Amino acid sequence: GHWNRSYWNGSNNINNTVTDFLLINSNPDSTTLALQKAYLHKILDTLATEPNVLYEVVNEPGASGDLTSSFSWQELIVNEVHNYEASHGYSLHPIAVELNNSQLGSTSADFLSPYDYQGNPPVYTLGKPVVADTDHYFGGGGGTDWWWKAFMNGNNMLNMDDMHGTGLLGILDFGGLEASSENRQAVRDTRNLTSSINMTAVVPRGDLSSSGYALADISGHRFIVYAGGAGDVTLELSSASGISLSTFWLSTADGSLSPKTNVIGGSSNQSFFSPFGGTLAVLIVNP
């Protein structure tokens, strides 16, 4: 539907661009590609001095979720951005591609937006920031469990939100795919955590937790553990032998925090019990 109205559609212009929506983001002819580059250069010129700009080549190209045919064209655009900014002495802005999981390790893009993370998002191992965007998998959904598992596996989180019920201007219509209240709570909670805890050195270390989901800074003795709804979790703390650690729990239902307690590190199988019972909860351990 969007393509039928798009000015890039050759049926809607006098510039002889392609009329096939699959070709526009995979294998455009020389005329279309030249216009794409001119359009891109204008954007880069306009935003050259702006510091807080992130680019994404394209949103959801390809048919039926198969982004394979778009890989080469996306790489061409990424390289065009890199080369144009460098040759003009512009500030270098990060640019993302959107790809299937199997292609993520082969791109020269600066950060990544996976397309098929709807199941259990894989542990981050790609050496570049990964943005897990609910739009690609659920629309406005996803929910608490998916969000926290993806976050614990080292992903940066992005939630598609239509703004309904927020009182904010700019309400959008996604065809009934209204944002999940669970997702909004998860946005608040992960934002609060990353603002209050030094996240610089933490990496996914699900092997340290009985739940299989943890972020850890071993040398700094800092741990964030997603316990799910089990009510209890065990954590490998032998690296913090003899060190007093402050612990508290976060309820993912409403963001409430438990009182802090202390534990002495050293156990390879330290038990923790959630004060929130079977409610999905997160354990935070700090020196």
Side-chain angles (χ1 to χ4, degrees), residues 207-209 218 223 234-239 266-270:
D207 58 301
L208 300 178
S209 165
I218 299 298
F223 307 86
T234 60
L235 182 61
E236 161 68 85
L237 290 178
S238 58
S239 62
S267 172
S268 62
N269 196 34
Q270 179 69 50

Side-chain angles (χ1 to χ4, degrees), residues 103-238:
Q103 302 167 304
L104 292 172
S106 304
T107 177
S108 56
D110 304 299
F111 66 108
L112 311 168
S113 181
Y115 187 73
D116 43 4
Y117 261 35
Q118 185 164 346
N120 188 10
V123 175
Y124 166 80
T125 58
L126 295 165
K128 299 176 180 180
V130 173
V131 175
D133 182 354
T134 60
D135 174 30
H136 303 328
Y137 330 117
F138 309 103
T144 303
D145 192 56
W146 177 87
W147 182 280
W148 278 96
K149 286 179 178 179
F151 177 72
M152 289 292 166
N153 279 347
N155 298 287
N156 297 276
M157 307 303 294
L158 189 63
N159 180 49
M160 185 172 80
D161 197 317
D162 54 17
M163 300 300 169
H164 279 276
T166 64
L168 299 173
L169 298 177
I171 291 176
L172 305 174
D173 182 4
F174 295 137
L177 295 174
E178 293 191 13
S180 162
S181 59
E182 290 185 2
N183 282 40
R184 288 178 177 172
Q185 185 63 51
V187 170
R188 286 190 287 269
D189 291 340
T190 48
R191 173 61 178 164
N192 288 338
L193 272 183
T194 54
S195 298
S196 60
I197 295 176
N198 182 2
M199 301 289 290
T200 305
V202 298
V203 295
R205 287 297 306 269
D207 58 301
L208 300 178
S209 165
S210 59
S211 69
Y213 295 96
L215 291 168
D217 170 10
I218 299 298
S219 60
H221 314 303
R222 182 172 290 106
F223 307 86
I224 305 172
V225 182
Y226 177 57
D232 63 276
V233 69
T234 60
L235 182 61
E236 161 68 85
L237 290 178
S238 58

Side-chain angles (χ1 to χ4, degrees), residues 19-141:
T19 57
D20 187 329
F21 83 98
L22 294 177
L23 292 179
I24 192 77
N25 295 327
S26 61
N27 189 29
D29 58 35
S30 58
T31 297
T32 303
L33 183 60
L35 287 167
Q36 287 177 333
K37 288 184 177 181
Y39 182 84
L40 178 61
H41 295 167
K42 178 62 176 176
I43 292 174
L44 299 177
D45 291 338
T46 303
L47 300 176
T49 60
E50 298 301 318
N52 298 315
V53 175
L54 303 175
Y55 291 119
E56 182 182 28
V57 175
V58 63
N59 180 65
E60 299 183 8
S64 303
D66 184 4
L67 279 58
T68 304
S69 62
S70 183
F71 179 84
S72 295
W73 176 82
Q74 290 197 63
E75 283 297 288
L76 184 152
I77 298 299
V78 167
N79 291 327
E80 188 72 19
V81 170
H82 286 162
N83 294 335
Y84 190 85
E85 287 191 326
S87 65
H88 285 72
Y90 293 162
S91 297
L92 304 181
H93 296 94
I95 182 168
V97 290
E98 186 176 311
L99 296 168
N100 296 114
N101 291 3
S102 60
Q103 302 167 304
L104 292 172
S106 304
T107 177
S108 56
D110 304 299
F111 66 108
L112 311 168
S113 181
Y115 187 73
D116 43 4
Y117 261 35
Q118 185 164 346
N120 188 10
V123 175
Y124 166 80
T125 58
L126 295 165
K128 299 176 180 180
V130 173
V131 175
D133 182 354
T134 60
D135 174 30
H136 303 328
Y137 330 117
F138 309 103

